[in-house]
Amino acid sequence: MPALVTSLRELIQDFPINTIKTHADDIKKAFDSKDQEAEKEAREEFTKANPATEETPAPEFVYDNPISKEFNDLHSLYRKQRGEFQRQQRKEQEDNLEKRKNIIESIKNLIDEEENIGTTFKKFNALQQEWKDTGKIPHDAYNIVWNDYRLHTQNFYDYIDLSKELRDKDFERNLDFHNKIISRAEELGNEPDIHKALRELQELHRMWKEDAGPVAKEHRDPIWDKFSAATKVIHDKRQAYYEERDKLAEKNQTIKQNIIAEIQKITAAGAKNHKGWQDRLEEINALKELFTQTGPATKALNNHLWEQFRVVGREFNHAKNAFYKDLKKDQQANLDKKMKLIEIAEQHLESDDFNGSLPVMKRIQREWKEIGHVPRKVSDKIWKRFQAACNGFFDKKNAQKKEENAEEAANFEAKMKVYDALKEMLPQDDQNAMKADVEKHMADWAAIGRVPYSKRHIQDKFDKLLQAKLKAAGMSAVDAEMLKYQSKLSSLESGDARDFTNERFYLRKRRDEIQDEKRQLENNMQFINTKDDKNPFVVQIKKNTAALDKELDLIKEKQKQLNILERQMKKADEEESSENESSEATE
């Protein structure tokens, strides 16, 4: 809209007021269309911001656009200047009409003057020149005044007793002028620009009427026929040109209708993302350029097609703008989500509970990737902030891990010493003393913390060695296993919750596996003769079943001991918590 105001102002300032009507009307039409759109949007926003309720009606909408007022004031100035020009032009034409009437009256009066014929003829020539120099007259009086002028001019030649020598000389001069006009009209028949030819032919006809005087009677019809023939050539070319133009206009009409239909199709299809809308926009711009480069359609539909073209262009823009408006809302929602993740990341950055914080940090990193785009102006900024918090957390975790790895390596060395000491222990006649020594090594082993993951096999080696030493001390396999498990419970007591969870999972899994194996053995027994106790297959199945029952009892006992330990630890934690609360209350 501001650009249209500027265009109208430049037209008024830089061009004659009588030459800009078409351009000024086009600008006015375009501005009114934009102004109506702006008023509609303003009304919708006003209605949304000021809804009516049961108690109070909606306030009255007032459209106040400073640009509209500026344009209307400028257009009023244009109309005023154009009106003044038209009034002045009309006055000049009426003055010229009066002058021409006076010239006709003077020619009429020449017939009654009793002067020397030479003097009279000079006056006649002067009046003819004055007629030529007189400007335009009102269009509605043109034919009447011209017919009067031609009549009285002819009367002057035909009814005044002129000197034959002067009259013939004037006829000869007029005939030469007519022939020049005819010659030029014939040349225009070869002019490729038909519009230029028609404009100049129109001027030749004016000169034939107004500037060229009469000729001798014997030449009047022949020269007119010749001039008419030259005129007909140009008019025939004009007719052919307009027929060809109409065919081209029909073709242009089809092209423009197809372009409008294609734009509607693209608008209806729309797009699902930014790239899709940018691709659609390129297609629309290409179609718009093709539309403007295509020539005019048929006169009856040209303006209608142009208006349709503007309407479908606006519809596409509305659809595109609606998408980006919704996209902006989505991006703001995504920004809010990512800001919450940043807050979580920065909170856990200060945490020393890496085991508890690690799953949270991994989760929010996954969620960050799943969240869509945010406004471009803040995208890099929030990513750097989130990345800094995540990197800081994992750097601290890795530093702690290095410390833990050093401690675990030391634990491995300590356990190897216990293992070597147990391995070197010799059998004793006093089994109780030997059992006490083995239990001491078990206690030493349990007191040592976690070893590196890659060295965890040391536990299996120690368990096998321990079982052999306990057996050598006279303990049954079951008793030895439970005593060994007491060592495991001691290590769990000094460990963390994850160790408890892993042990419980292992025992439950092994218990389920034993029960599945027993069911399978029972199924196998159904396919053989169980009455034959000497059948080696039956003997083996019974042997395997017994071993499984023994291991199952052992697993159940381990689960029982694990539950007892867990309850004891929970009770101890509750008592410690109660003591802390009591101490805080006392303080």
Side-chain angles (χ1 to χ4, degrees):
M1 294 171 71
L4 292 171
V5 173
T6 302
S7 296
L8 182 59
R9 181 177 290 108
E10 290 175 351
L11 274 181
I12 297 173
Q13 292 174 348
D14 300 341
F15 297 92
I17 201 68
N18 61 316
T19 63
I20 63 174
K21 183 179 185 304
T22 301
H23 285 28
D25 290 347
D26 288 344
I27 291 174
K28 180 69 164 64
K29 187 175 181 181
F31 188 91
D32 288 345
S33 176
K34 294 286 185 183
D35 193 35
Q36 290 171 4
E37 292 179 14
E39 183 177 2
K40 181 180 178 181
E41 292 178 1
R43 184 183 297 276
E44 290 175 353
E45 292 179 1
F46 180 83
T47 304
K48 186 182 295 185
N50 302 277
T53 63
E54 295 181 357
E55 294 79 11
T56 58
E60 182 180 357
F61 170 73
V62 178
Y63 179 64
D64 184 15
N65 189 342
I67 299 177
S68 299
K69 184 178 185 305
E70 181 182 1
F71 181 85
N72 291 331
D73 292 343
L74 190 61
H75 194 265
S76 296
L77 176 63
Y78 157 74
R79 290 203 312 267
K80 180 180 179 181
Q81 291 182 0
R82 179 174 171 78
E84 291 175 354
F85 171 82
Q86 289 176 334
R87 285 191 294 274
Q88 182 180 357
Q89 189 179 48
R90 180 70 182 184
K91 184 177 184 306
E92 290 177 357
Q93 290 177 355
E94 289 176 350
D95 291 342
N96 292 336
L97 174 61
E98 194 63 32
K99 288 181 182 179
R100 293 203 171 191
K101 287 181 178 180
N102 292 334
I103 291 171
I104 294 172
E105 193 64 30
S106 298
I107 292 175
K108 288 169 59 178
N109 294 334
L110 285 177
I111 299 173
D112 298 330
E113 289 185 0
E114 297 180 358
E115 290 183 328
N116 178 277
I117 191 62
T119 302
T120 302
F121 203 74
K122 286 180 180 179
K123 289 182 178 180
F124 175 72
N125 286 336
L127 290 171
Q128 280 188 314
Q129 186 61 43
E130 187 179 352
W131 178 274
K132 293 177 183 179
D133 295 339
T134 304
K136 293 181 179 180
I137 64 174
H139 185 72
D140 53 0
Y142 180 80
N143 286 334
I144 296 175
V145 173
W146 165 246
N147 288 331
D148 283 349
Y149 173 75
R150 184 175 58 181
L151 173 64
H152 292 292
T153 301
Q154 197 66 43
N155 286 342
F156 179 81
Y157 281 105
D158 293 340
Y159 299 108
I160 300 299
D161 186 15
L162 298 174
S163 166
K164 187 176 186 303
E165 182 180 353
L166 290 174
R167 186 183 64 183
D168 290 345
K169 188 175 181 180
D170 194 47
F171 281 169
E172 185 179 348
R173 185 172 61 251
N174 292 340
L175 178 61
D176 181 61
F177 188 56
H178 279 95
N179 284 331
K180 288 180 180 179
I181 293 175
I182 293 170
S183 177
R184 180 55 188 159
E186 290 173 341
E187 290 175 1
L188 289 177
N190 299 320
E191 171 61 47
D193 187 346
I194 188 63
H195 295 291
K196 179 180 178 182
L198 286 170
R199 286 194 299 270
E200 190 166 346
L201 180 64
Q202 187 177 13
E203 178 61 18
L204 292 179
H205 273 272
R206 187 200 65 77
M207 293 168 62
W208 186 280
K209 284 184 177 182
E210 299 186 11
D211 298 343
V215 298
K217 286 184 179 181
E218 64 270 19
H219 295 300
R220 291 175 186 172
D221 291 339
I223 63 172
W224 174 249
D225 292 341
K226 199 173 180 180
F227 184 53
S228 296
T231 300
K232 185 176 184 302
V233 171
I234 299 174
H235 283 304
D236 289 345
K237 287 184 66 176
R238 181 188 66 173
Q239 184 65 27
Y241 166 80
Y242 282 122
E243 289 176 358
E244 186 64 27
R245 190 188 68 174
D246 290 343
K247 292 179 183 178
L248 182 60
E250 290 177 0
K251 181 180 178 182
N252 294 339
Q253 176 179 320
T254 302
I255 293 173
K256 290 187 173 184
Q257 287 172 335
N258 290 338
I259 291 173
I260 291 171
E262 186 63 21
I263 293 176
Q264 289 175 321
K265 182 179 177 181
I266 292 173
T267 302
K272 295 181 179 180
N273 51 44
H274 168 71
K275 184 180 183 304
W277 277 108
Q278 292 306 303
D279 292 342
R280 300 295 86 77
L281 183 59
E282 287 185 9
E283 295 173 11
I284 292 294
N285 288 337
L287 290 171
K288 285 184 175 181
E289 184 176 358
L290 178 60
F291 189 96
T292 54
Q293 289 179 352
T294 303
T298 57
K299 190 174 182 180
L301 289 178
N302 192 56
N303 290 338
H304 175 68
L305 288 175
W306 175 251
E307 186 59 33
Q308 270 191 310
F309 173 70
R310 294 178 61 196
V311 169
V312 297
R314 286 197 298 268
E315 289 174 350
F316 172 81
N317 288 334
H318 288 327
K320 176 174 66 69
N321 294 341
F323 167 80
Y324 281 106
K325 194 173 183 180
D326 293 339
L327 181 64
K328 189 175 180 181
K329 292 180 181 177
D330 293 341
Q331 289 184 345
Q332 184 60 44
N334 292 338
L335 176 60
D336 294 340
K337 293 177 182 177
K338 288 194 172 183
M339 290 303 298
K340 290 180 180 178
L341 295 184
I342 289 174
E343 291 176 3
I344 295 173
E346 290 176 343
Q347 289 172 1
H348 284 272
L349 175 61
E350 305 300 327
S351 173
D352 293 328
D353 181 14
F354 294 105
N355 292 329
S357 296
L358 182 60
V360 177
M361 295 299 289
K362 290 183 176 180
R363 174 180 61 80
I364 65 175
Q365 285 182 320
R366 289 194 304 271
E367 291 180 3
W368 183 279
K369 294 178 181 179
E370 294 169 357
I371 297 172
H373 294 287
V374 300
R376 185 178 299 178
K377 62 182 180 180
V378 298
S379 179
D380 289 343
K381 182 179 178 181
I382 65 170
W383 164 244
K384 290 178 180 178
R385 183 176 169 186
F386 181 72
Q387 188 181 42
C390 292
N391 290 345
F393 171 81
F394 286 104
D395 288 345
K396 286 177 63 177
K397 180 180 179 301
N398 292 335
Q400 188 205 43
K401 187 66 176 177
K402 289 180 180 179
E403 294 178 1
E404 290 177 352
N405 289 342
E407 182 180 348
E408 289 176 356
N411 292 340
F412 175 74
E413 296 297 331
K415 285 196 172 186
M416 283 300 299
K417 292 180 180 179
V418 175
Y419 176 82
D420 292 339
L422 180 62
K423 185 177 180 181
E424 293 173 359
M425 190 180 71
L426 298 174
Q428 303 176 30
D429 294 335
D430 187 350
Q431 291 184 336
N432 289 330
M434 184 176 178
K435 178 182 175 183
D437 289 342
V438 172
E439 289 179 348
K440 179 180 181 303
H441 287 303
M442 290 173 60
D444 293 341
W445 181 274
I448 300 172
R450 189 192 302 272
V451 300
Y453 185 76
S454 61
K455 306 293 185 180
R456 66 189 184 282
H457 62 277
I458 190 64
Q459 183 67 43
D460 293 334
K461 290 180 65 176
F462 181 77
D463 289 343
K464 290 178 182 178
L465 179 62
L466 186 63
Q467 192 169 7
K469 296 296 183 180
L470 289 173
K471 187 175 181 181
M475 295 186 69
S476 66
V478 174
D479 292 339
E481 179 64 26
M482 288 309 300
L483 183 61
K484 184 179 68 172
Y485 195 67
Q486 290 299 322
S487 175
K488 180 68 174 287
L489 292 176
S490 297
S491 65
L492 290 175
E493 188 175 2
S494 61
D496 55 26
R498 183 175 59 179
D499 296 327
F500 258 101
T501 302
N502 291 339
E503 181 64 18
R504 187 180 297 282
F505 173 77
Y506 166 75
L507 293 175
R508 183 171 61 250
K509 180 182 177 184
R510 183 56 189 154
R511 181 174 178 174
D512 293 340
E513 289 174 350
I514 293 171
Q515 290 173 342
D516 290 340
E517 291 177 19
K518 285 183 64 180
R519 280 192 293 269
Q520 185 62 44
L521 292 174
E522 291 171 359
N523 292 335
N524 294 340
M525 289 287 286
Q526 295 177 4
F527 296 99
I528 60 177
N529 185 5
T530 57
K531 295 179 180 180
D532 186 2
D533 294 336
K534 296 181 179 180
N535 187 324
F537 193 62
V538 173
V539 173
Q540 186 62 41
I541 289 178
K542 289 182 177 180
K543 184 179 179 181
N544 292 343
T545 302
L548 290 173
D549 286 337
K550 188 180 293 185
E551 186 180 358
L552 183 61
D553 290 340
L554 190 61
I555 292 294
K556 290 179 179 178
E557 182 61 26
K558 287 182 178 181
Q559 288 179 321
K560 179 180 177 181
Q561 294 298 325
L562 184 66
N563 291 335
I564 291 172
L565 177 61
E566 190 172 16
R567 285 196 296 270
Q568 289 175 348
M569 292 177 64
K570 185 176 180 181
K571 182 178 180 181
D573 290 340
E574 290 176 352
E575 289 176 354
E576 181 180 358
S577 176
S578 176
E579 289 176 2
N580 291 337
E581 290 178 358
S582 175
S583 175
E584 290 176 0
T586 302
E587 291 175 0

